[in-house]
Amino acid sequence: LVDNLAKQKIILSDQVISAMRSVDRAHFAKNNPYEDAPQYIGYGATISAPHMHGYALEGLRDYLKPGMRVLDVGSGSGYLTACMAAMVGANGRAVGIDHISELVETSKSALSQYYPDWINNNNIHMVIGDGRNGYPPDAPYDCIHVGAASPGEPTTLLSQLKSPGRMFIPVGKYSQQIVVYEKDSNGTVKQKKLMGVAYVPLTNEGDQRDFF
Ligand code: SAH
């Protein structure tokens, strides 16, 4: 799977290729883990397609350097948070937040089983909560990945980005685009639209549970 993503030039850098190689998607997705497609993981959530994880990690690569502190909003399966933890390494910290407690517990038990050092050393921290508010205790972050679509500009999350810092997030209600927000060292934010996508929305927990 990782070789194919590299062959298709979706992932280009050694950092991303070795992070994706070191985290086995099968630990986080029971069904067809090595297919390049999203998979349903319950409670209205899907683990994103590997190529989207690849684009996200490449897009955030400069802000996933060893020792950095990063946030994954809508962490779902926990797979991408684990890849981010692999990139920031033993002196870094990856925080994953999801509002569905069952998903957070499942991701935590996979991490404790297969990557116990990251959990024990606090390199990875999985939190239950509304990710639209980010996670203030560890803010500001070098980068923020958002795995569910924001209806509009994610102001609260932008306020939790370092200067400089970068965010990768799907934005839009009906038609969505990946937007990369870049905060420069003066705190000025610029945005770049990358591609059209279809992510599940950032919602209220109750709405997500009622719907599915
Ligand atoms: N990156 C994850 C994507 C999971 S799908 C993965 O690849 O596994 C999107 C996730 O966003 C779901 O797990 C859903 O529960 C979560 N989500 C939606 N709205 C949220 C909110 N307001 N706060 C936190 N998580 C949210």
Side-chain angles (χ1 to χ4, degrees):
L1 172 70
V2 177
D3 286 347
N4 280 332
L5 294 174
K7 229 179 272 165
Q8 294 169 58
K9 307 233 184 294
I10 290 166
I11 53 177
L12 304 162
S13 62
D14 289 344
Q15 301 106 284
V16 172
I17 292 172
S18 69
M20 288 185 85
R21 262 198 231 293
S22 68
V23 179
D24 190 341
R25 199 166 180 269
H27 298 329
F28 301 89
K30 285 197 202 97
N31 305 317
N32 313 313
Y34 304 128
E35 243 175 56
D36 191 9
Q39 303 292 339
Y40 191 63
I41 54 172
Y43 311 96
T46 54
I47 177 169
S48 300
H51 68 268
M52 283 314 304
H53 287 149
Y55 282 130
L57 294 171
E58 282 293 345
L60 294 172
R61 182 179 81 200
D62 296 342
Y63 296 88
L64 285 165
K65 296 213 168 117
M68 288 185 161
R69 199 160 65 224
V70 303
L71 177 66
D72 184 24
V73 173
S75 50
S77 65
Y79 169 82
L80 191 71
T81 324
C83 291
M84 292 168 87
M87 289 175 76
V88 299
N91 296 319
R93 178 161 232 232
V95 179
I97 184 165
D98 203 288
H99 61 177
I100 304 291
S101 55
E102 291 89 337
L103 291 176
V104 174
E105 292 311 327
T106 307
S107 66
K108 258 180 116 159
S109 49
L111 289 163
S112 318
Q113 185 174 352
Y114 298 106
Y115 308 96
D117 290 353
W118 291 348
I119 291 275
N120 296 338
N121 301 334
N122 278 319
N123 298 125
I124 196 161
H125 182 47
M126 305 305 281
V127 186
I128 302 165
D130 190 338
R132 291 172 293 192
N133 305 324
Y135 184 65
D138 280 326
Y141 300 96
D142 293 283
C143 73
I144 300 179
H145 170 267
V146 186
S150 171
E153 185 162 276
T155 358
T156 309
L157 293 175
L158 283 169
S159 73
Q160 291 179 25
L161 263 189
K162 283 189 193 171
S163 304
R166 190 181 288 170
M167 177 159 29
F168 183 104
I169 179 172
V171 178
K173 275 192 189 141
Y174 304 106
S175 92
Q176 307 165 359
Q177 284 186 308
I178 293 290
V179 179
V180 174
Y181 290 96
E182 181 99 30
K183 199 188 257 191
D184 69 18
S185 43
N186 300 317
T188 308
V189 176
K190 287 201 180 112
Q191 54 167 294
K192 199 163 72 187
K193 296 190 169 107
L194 272 197
M195 62 188 114
V197 287
Y199 277 63
V200 304
L202 278 170
T203 54
N204 297 316
E205 185 203 344
D207 293 348
Q208 188 175 326
R209 286 184 186 276
D210 289 348
F211 194 73
F212 289 94

